[in-house]
């Protein structure tokens, strides 16, 4: 068994995490979170999304957040764009990468972005074209690749189908997302295998929510297949407003601890990352979902 020697983490906390918060989070706090993540060594940060503020009011401050970040040249800042309207607004804020987001499940596609899978691809195509013409990288998030809150289990063939559609419109890399955190290692490996019909292993990232506590096992299962890009969320924040009952992404602190233990380089300073997680958890008046961060903080105060 050979595991990758280096892994790149994308922290999606400012977007996936904060999109799901009931209480409004001030722009200054979001900006500070991004600054703390980059200070901890994150080289990719999903900052916000350019979606309808009626659908997701928590992301209505997208342009202000993007404008307020002091960027580091070696960090990639990505944003979600579901359609041309979102892309045009995002373009003004100079993202390094945009993310179109589709689903392997028809029902989830309709609930989340109000259109079928086929219609979503029609909407994404001009976005992808415009982004690539502007020199902006394009990622495709694929939701519900193992299970859907409305349709139950999702067959790998449907993941392969969606990955093929994404490839066909020029999406450069894709996320295999377990939106509701129901996956277990073999199921996640099957979803990745299906994606490999259209994308190379270096163009695939794992995006695992942790509802059933399987996200670290799923991460390990993906690592065994050679996946070296993962999305995670500081303090385990996260969830999708259109996937009721789903909890946060796997915590970045927990993934970093796992990878460090395996001797895999992430370039991330775990102590600084724990501080970033404590900052946002304190702001939200909540305990971190990261077991690793909790253990490290307890040790510090012991
Ligand atoms: P729609 O209602 O079908 O859109 O929503 P529409 O084109 O008919 O427009 C209706 C209204 O929305 C119009 O305004 C538009 O201007 C406005 P009105 O005339 O009524 O005042 N509008 C927009 N405003 C701002 N930005 C835009 C935009 N587009 C239209 N981009 C739409 C379709 C896609 C916009 C809507 O369904 C939506 O915003 N959905 C977003 C849902 C979302 O953000 N979900 C969470 C992110 S995905 C996720 O978390 C999963 C992921 O983490 C992976 C995983 O875990 O699975 C990525
Ligand atoms: Mg997600």
């Amino acid at each position: 068994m050979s595991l990758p020697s280096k892994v790149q983490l994308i922290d999606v906390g400012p977007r996936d995490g904060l999109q799901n918060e009931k209480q409004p989070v001030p722009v200054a706090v979001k900006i500070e979170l991004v600054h703390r993540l980059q200070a901890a060594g994150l080289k990719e940060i999903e900052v916000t999304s350019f979606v309808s503020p009626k659908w997701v009011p928590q992301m209505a401050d997208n342009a202000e957040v993007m404008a307020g970040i002091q960027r580091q040249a070696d960090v990639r800042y990505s944003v979600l764009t579901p359609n041309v309207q979102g892309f045009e607004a995002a373009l003004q804020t100079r993202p390094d990468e945009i993310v179109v987001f589709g689903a392997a499940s028809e029902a989830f596609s309709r609930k989340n972005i109000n259109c079928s899978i086929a219609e979503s691809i029609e909407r994404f195509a001009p976005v992808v074209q415009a982004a690539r013409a502007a020199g902006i990288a394009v990622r495709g998030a694929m939701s519900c690749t193992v299970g859907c809150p409305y349709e139950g289990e999702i067959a790998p063939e449907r993941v392969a189908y969606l990955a093929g559609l994404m490839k066909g419109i020029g999406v450069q890399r894709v996320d295999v997302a377990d939106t509701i955190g129901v996956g277990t290692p073999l199921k996640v490996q099957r979803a990745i295998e299906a994606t490999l019909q259209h994308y190379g292993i270096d163009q695939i990232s794992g995006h695992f929510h942790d509802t059933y506590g399987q996200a670290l096992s799923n991460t390990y299962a993906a690592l065994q297949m050679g996946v070296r890009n993962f999305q995670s969320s500081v303090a385990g924040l996260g969830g999708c407003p259109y996937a009721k009952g789903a909890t946060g992404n796997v915590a970045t602190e927990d993934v970093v601890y796992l990878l460090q233990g395996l001797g895999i380089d992430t370039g991330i300073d775990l102590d600084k990352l724990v501080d970033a997680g404590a900052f946002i958890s304190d702001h939200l008046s909540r305990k971190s979902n990261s077991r690793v961060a909790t253990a490290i903080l307890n040790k510090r105060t012991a």
Side-chain angles (χ1 to χ4, degrees):
M1 185 187 69
S2 86
L3 297 173
S5 56
K6 197 172 184 319
V7 157
Q8 177 92 326
L9 295 183
I10 306 180
D11 198 292
V12 298
R15 194 282 302 170
D16 203 326
L18 300 182
Q19 77 181 6
N20 208 35
E21 284 305 316
K22 297 234 162 11
Q23 52 180 309
V25 178
V27 171
V29 171
K30 294 181 177 182
I31 292 169
E32 171 78 18
L33 178 61
V34 172
H35 288 165
R36 284 175 179 257
L37 289 172
Q38 62 193 21
L42 265 302
K43 296 297 175 210
E44 293 200 46
I45 303 174
E46 203 170 87
V47 178
T48 185
S49 56
F50 288 82
V51 297
S52 159
K54 286 186 190 142
W55 283 64
V56 185
Q58 294 86 340
M59 297 285 109
D61 55 7
N62 42 32
E64 287 165 87
V65 175
M66 283 297 277
I69 295 167
Q70 284 176 10
R71 298 190 194 192
Q72 278 181 203
D74 59 349
V75 174
R76 176 181 275 204
Y77 304 91
S78 55
V79 303
L80 266 57
T81 56
N83 53 19
V84 169
Q85 188 174 342
F87 173 72
E88 279 170 358
L91 189 59
Q92 306 303 314
T93 70
R94 300 181 299 108
D96 299 305
E97 183 178 55
I98 57 113
V99 185
V100 292
F101 49 105
S105 135
E106 275 299 341
F108 187 76
S109 180
R110 287 184 190 281
K111 294 274 186 194
N112 194 44
I113 51 175
N114 206 24
C115 63
S116 69
I117 295 171
E119 284 163 343
S120 74
I121 295 296
E122 275 171 36
R123 286 186 192 177
F124 300 155
V127 173
V128 174
Q129 206 176 9
R132 295 203 52 187
I136 298 170
V138 179
R139 178 154 53 86
M142 304 195 297
S143 288
C144 299
T145 59
V146 286
C148 166
Y150 311 103
E151 293 182 16
E153 199 149 328
I154 298 293
E157 293 72 35
R158 298 170 68 185
V159 180
Y161 173 68
L162 177 64
L165 294 174
M166 292 267 187
K167 185 78 182 182
I169 58 168
V171 170
Q172 293 165 295
R173 57 177 185 154
V174 285
D175 312 332
V176 174
D178 180 9
T179 312
I180 55 172
V182 290
T184 42
L186 282 180
K187 289 183 184 173
V188 163
Q189 286 185 335
R190 284 192 199 115
I192 293 168
E193 226 164 66
T195 309
L196 281 167
Q197 291 178 27
H198 301 283
Y199 284 93
I201 200 77
D202 285 342
Q203 298 162 329
I204 295 176
S205 10
H207 176 118
F208 307 132
H209 285 261
D210 200 29
T211 318
Y212 284 79
Q214 305 296 303
L216 274 183
S217 308
N218 295 339
T219 303
Y220 191 69
L223 281 170
Q224 286 181 308
M225 294 180 74
V227 173
R228 8 173 168 234
N229 293 282
F230 291 92
Q231 286 148 24
S232 56
S233 193
V234 68
L237 298 169
C240 174
Y242 300 99
K244 290 269 173 293
T247 61
N249 291 86
V250 65
T252 310
E253 298 92 318
D254 296 5
V255 178
V256 169
Y257 183 80
L258 170 72
L259 295 172
Q260 283 185 350
L262 292 168
I264 298 174
D265 177 25
T266 62
I268 293 170
D269 179 327
L270 185 53
D271 276 315
K272 284 189 183 161
L273 182 63
V274 166
D275 292 340
F279 163 76
I280 192 65
S281 301
D282 286 350
H283 177 81
L284 298 169
S285 313
R286 127 137 50 99
K287 274 176 60 183
S288 169
N289 290 327
S290 164
R291 306 268 303 258
V292 166
T294 305
I296 290 175
L297 288 168
N298 285 342
K299 207 167 155 194
R300 278 189 199 165
T301 52

